[in-house]
């Protein structure tokens, strides 16, 4: 039975992306990331909605990707206002009726009546609500029995997720950027029933007080106490508020939205090495990071790192932790740079391996920010040059 207090969430169900180019998305997830194609929208559903959807899976990860087939569709409407990105984050619940009762009592804004259909092998129930991130919705799904179909109207291609040769196994957390973080934090607390899990207040100028540029954020992670589904929310921080990489994301995304989804792996070295061979590109880290890494981690009480530091440096994998528990993480380039198309948007993926540490890499924020700022500066400088050439 679901907890009488909480929504009865058991984990992430999926994420749903809206894109201009479905072929490009398929190439990325299937040919580069080694996801399996699990489902496709039926001709009947496409005719009804004007949208074509495919579902990609790797172990417990499920991503639906939709592209518009005609003007005026839901996907076309979204992409008139935003670049490509995450439109919906779905969570699995034990009892949808219980979740709806709790959400209704907490004044959640439902977008439609509950969906309940019998599919091949079982039942599918769904409700969708709006949230604080503009056009990003939150969906709650109850799947009963052994349902192969991802959703009503979807044809089955493969019944189960692929093993994934790179070890990508699960969604670890979802991180969003917004100009006012507390709007999201209060939504997670008061509507979803989540609890405070982690936070950070950070600025690159903390160690460079005389710098004339810099970037900072405040971040709070809220988690469902039953499933530990986690949502991190970032806001920009002064000084240089408008130059913050969080504000740059909001500008590029034309509003608040999901910045990245972290994908968990049991062996990040193997995962990253394999993805690099498929031409997946990641953010860099300063060379000095790895020279200082053993001393920094020893100062945080971590002396049991199992991975070879030289191998981590070769793959530019970051490490953080405390008290003999640590994590390893790396961040892909944002989609706009990966695909060479501004309309692909500022969304990106993180790859993470946890060795006992449940945090979010507090000690890596500086290296991450410096890398993102370097990429953003390069991209903005290129855009300025192109503008000047156009003007001339």
């Amino acid at each position: 039975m679901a907890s009488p207090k909480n929504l009865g969430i058991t984990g992430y169900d999926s994420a749903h992306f809206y894109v201009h180019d479905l072929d490009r998305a398929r190439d990325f997830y299937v040919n580069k990331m080694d996801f399996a194609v699990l489902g496709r929208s039926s001709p009947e559903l496409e005719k009804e909605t004007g949208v074509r959807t495919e579902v990609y899976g790797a172990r417990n990860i499920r991503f639906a990707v939709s592209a518009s087939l005609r003007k005026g569709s839901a996907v076309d409407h979204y992409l008139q206002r935003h670049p490509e990105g995450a439109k919906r984050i779905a969570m699995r619940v034990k009892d949808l009726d219980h979740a709806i009762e709790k959400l209704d009592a907490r004044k959640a804004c439902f977008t439609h009546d509950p969906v309940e259909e019998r599919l091949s092998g079982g039942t599918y129930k769904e409700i969708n609500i709006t949230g604080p991130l503009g056009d990003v919705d939150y969906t709650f799904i109850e799947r009963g029995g052994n349902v192969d179909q991802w959703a009503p109207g979807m044809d089955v291609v493969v019944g189960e997720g692929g093993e994934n040769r790179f070890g990508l196994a699960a969604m670890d957390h979802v991180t969003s950027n917004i100009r006012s973080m507390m709007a999201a934090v209060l939504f997670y607390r008061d509507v979803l029933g989540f609890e405070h899990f982690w936070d950070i207040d950070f600025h690159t100028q903390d160690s460079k007080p005389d710098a004339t540029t810099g970037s900072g954020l405040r971040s709070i992670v809220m988690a469902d106490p039953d499933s530990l589904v986690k949502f991190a929310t970032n806001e920009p921080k002064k000084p240089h508020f408008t130059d913050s990489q969080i504000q740059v994301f909001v500008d590029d995304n034309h509003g608040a939205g999901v910045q990245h989804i972290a994908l968990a792996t049991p062996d990040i070295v193997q995962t990253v090495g394999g993805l690099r061979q498929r031409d997946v590109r990641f953010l860099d880290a300063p060379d000095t990071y790895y020279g200082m890494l053993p001393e920094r981690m020893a100062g945080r009480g971590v002396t049991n790192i199992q991975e070879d530091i030289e191998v981590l440096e070769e793959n530019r994998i970051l490490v953080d932790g405390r008290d003999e528990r640590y994590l390893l993480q790396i961040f892909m380039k944002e989609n706009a740079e990966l695909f060479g198309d501004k309309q692909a948007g500022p969304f990106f993926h993180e790859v993470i391996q946890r060795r006992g540490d449940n945090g979010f890499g507090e000690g890596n924020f500086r290296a991450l920010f410096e890398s993102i700022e370097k990429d953003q500066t390069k991209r903005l400088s290129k855009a300025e040059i192109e503008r000047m050439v156009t003007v001339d």
Side-chain angles (χ1 to χ4, degrees), residues 203-216 237-241 243-244 366 370 373 377:
H203 204 289
T204 54
Q205 202 166 21
D206 294 344
S207 62
K208 301 175 183 178
D210 297 328
T212 58
T213 62
S215 187
K237 180 183 177 184
K238 68 175 180 66
H240 318 299
F241 183 95
D243 295 331
S244 166
R366 187 172 305 282
E370 289 174 354
E373 285 175 356
T377 301

Side-chain angles (χ1 to χ4, degrees), residues 4 47 67 100 105 137 171 174 302:
K47 182 177 180 180
I100 291 173
D137 291 344
M171 290 173 58
V174 177
V302 179

Side-chain angles (χ1 to χ4, degrees), residues 162-181:
E163 277 302 300
N164 193 266
R165 72 186 66 188
F166 304 128
L168 296 170
M171 290 173 58
D172 183 88
H173 63 271
V174 177
T175 296
S176 301
N177 290 349
I178 189 172
R179 283 171 55 88
S180 180
M181 173 187 64

Side-chain angles (χ1 to χ4, degrees), residues 15-17 44 63 71 79 102-103 114 116 141 155 163 173 188 253 260 263 267 276 295 316 363 365 369 376 391:
H16 196 160
F17 300 93
E44 294 79 14
F63 291 149
K71 291 288 187 181
L79 293 175
K102 292 297 179 186
L103 290 168
E116 181 174 353
I141 298 173
D155 291 336
E163 277 302 300
H173 63 271
Y188 294 130
N253 192 58
H260 73 267
L263 307 179
D267 185 346
R276 286 190 187 279
E295 180 180 352
R316 315 313 271 183
F365 268 66
F369 263 54
Q376 289 178 338
V391 171

Side-chain angles (χ1 to χ4, degrees), residues 4 56 91 203 205 225 228 256 259 349 368:
Y56 311 125
M91 289 158 274
H203 204 289
Q205 202 166 21
L228 287 186
Q259 180 204 44
H349 283 299
L368 172 62

